[in-house]
Amino acid sequence: MQDLNDLGLFAAVVRNNGFSAAARDLNIPKSKLSKHVARLEEQLGVRLLERSTRKLRVTDIGRVFYEHCQSLLDGVAAAEAEIAAVRAEPSGTVRLACPLGFTPMLADILPAFHRRYPGVRLLITATNRRIDLIEERVDVALRARGQLDTDNQLIIRKFGEVRERLAASPTFLARAGEITIENLSQQATLSMNEQHPTDVWRLVSIDGNTTEITHRPIVGCSDFLILERAAIEGMGVALLPDHICERAFRAGVLAPVLPEWTSNDVVVHLVFPSRQGMLPATRALIDYLAENLLNALQKCREVPVRMGPSFDI
């Protein structure tokens, strides 16, 4: 295995068409340069350069060897540039898109991100519509879907799953009396469906049984935060993601309804166009969300939900 420094010095001599020019370019003594090239030739057992007092000529094998040396040196330089980019202090603007239901969770974890990376500016688009990352110049999108995206142009990083749980205020439950899976459709309900007067909740039990609840909600809205507030105010039963229920259950302003029934799992994941050429600020945000959203989702799964309307946390 040859010394990489010897290869670099030999390549410099060839690029500069001589020892004197190369020595000036590298700011090292000409004698040291000549010594390293001579050692390389001795180790290889071939003549790379033909020297005379007036000119220098690269031999045929020397030219071939130079091409390989230069490719190797270019690869080392590219690798060092990648490391430097990763280690560089992240800065600049990152555009993030996320569903409306995840804004409270992001609000909780983003202050710590700003303290860690004060040079990064975030522009956040909160919307439930599907974002075209390329067309809309969005760097990263957080998504919650029944299954992972299959767009071959996007890189996917999965975090975990969330479920939707039935919830209502303790005062509503006290007023409504006993709620069963059979009479759920007759209760006042709050729905994500804002387009039609009738909605269907598809639920699965802890035993694996499934059912569909057709109901006519008194409020239909695509923003979970509005539904959460309406449920807290005692307007009806809502089907809310557990990362929203978690806060309300802990605070005691919402109580579980039929806790043995939930929605199917929804996959939470990030999508972004490509890792190649990714700016350090974008990479920092992706890594930060991967770590902290995963912790937050696991925390939501730990919330005690088998409590009655008069529970106290």
Side-chain angles (χ1 to χ4, degrees):
M1 182 67 68
Q2 303 302 320
D3 189 324
L4 189 60
N5 289 323
D6 289 350
L7 301 183
L9 295 175
F10 164 70
V13 172
V14 176
R15 283 198 311 271
N16 287 277
N17 297 311
F19 284 91
S20 297
R24 289 192 298 270
D25 184 44
L26 299 174
N27 194 28
I28 62 174
K30 178 181 175 181
S31 59
K32 180 178 179 180
L33 188 58
S34 179
K35 178 181 177 180
H36 278 272
V37 173
R39 182 175 68 180
L40 179 61
E41 289 179 320
E42 182 180 354
Q43 291 173 343
L44 293 172
V46 297
R47 176 72 71 179
L48 299 175
L49 303 172
E50 294 289 353
R51 307 165 180 80
S52 71
T53 56
R54 300 180 59 182
K55 60 184 299 186
L56 177 141
R57 184 181 71 84
V58 183
T59 65
D60 290 342
I61 189 63
R63 178 63 61 182
V64 172
F65 188 69
Y66 166 75
E67 296 295 338
H68 287 290
C69 286
Q70 194 58 55
S71 296
L72 176 62
L73 295 169
D74 289 343
V76 172
E80 291 177 339
E82 289 285 346
I83 296 299
V86 171
R87 297 183 61 184
E89 183 65 25
S91 62
T93 300
V94 181
R95 292 171 172 83
L96 169 68
C98 74
L100 291 168
F102 279 86
T103 53
M105 188 178 291
L106 285 177
D108 287 340
I109 66 176
L110 287 183
F113 175 81
H114 174 70
R115 289 191 293 270
R116 185 183 301 182
Y117 304 109
V120 178
R121 300 170 62 89
L122 292 178
L123 299 181
I124 301 174
T125 299
T127 177
N128 288 335
R129 68 177 177 84
R130 185 183 181 89
I131 290 286
D132 186 324
L133 279 73
I134 306 301
E135 183 69 23
E136 301 182 52
R137 298 175 58 234
V138 171
D139 300 302
V140 185
L142 176 65
R143 290 178 175 170
R145 305 274 171 80
Q147 58 186 11
L148 293 173
D149 286 86
T150 57
D151 191 332
N152 293 330
Q153 293 182 315
L154 300 177
I155 306 298
I156 299 172
R157 188 162 181 178
K158 177 184 173 182
F159 295 149
E161 296 83 19
V162 297
R163 290 182 180 180
E164 296 173 346
R165 303 181 184 275
L166 295 164
S169 71
T171 55
F172 175 86
L173 294 178
R175 186 172 69 246
E178 182 182 9
I179 298 178
T180 66
I181 196 66
E182 290 76 20
N183 68 21
L184 178 59
S185 62
Q186 302 167 23
Q187 305 295 327
T189 56
L190 312 169
S191 168
M192 274 285 288
N193 192 334
E194 61 184 14
Q195 301 295 326
H196 304 285
T198 302
D199 191 18
V200 178
W201 285 338
R202 294 173 176 84
L203 304 176
V204 58
S205 72
I206 57 176
D207 298 325
N209 298 319
T210 61
T211 188
E212 292 187 353
I213 305 298
T214 301
H215 58 108
R216 293 179 62 84
I218 62 171
V219 174
C221 179
S222 60
D223 189 341
F224 278 123
L225 299 183
I226 292 179
L227 299 182
E228 177 198 29
R229 189 63 195 179
I232 291 172
E233 294 298 328
M235 295 180 64
V237 179
L239 187 64
L240 301 173
D242 48 15
H243 62 272
I244 291 181
C245 291
E246 180 257 346
R247 302 173 307 156
F249 287 170
R250 290 185 186 278
V253 294
L254 286 180
V257 177
L258 304 175
E260 66 275 16
W261 291 90
T262 68
S263 72
N264 286 308
D265 284 340
V266 176
V267 182
V268 181
H269 55 287
L270 280 181
V271 293
F272 44 95
S274 173
R275 289 190 178 92
Q276 185 175 3
M278 181 182 292
L279 296 177
T282 304
R283 187 182 301 276
L285 177 63
I286 291 172
D287 291 342
Y288 181 85
L289 291 177
E291 175 187 354
N292 290 276
L293 278 181
L294 178 59
N295 292 338
L297 292 175
Q298 291 174 341
K299 179 182 177 183
C300 292
R301 290 289 183 134
E302 298 169 359
V303 176
V305 296
R306 292 187 177 278
M307 298 179 177
S310 60
F311 69 88
D312 186 17
I313 296 180

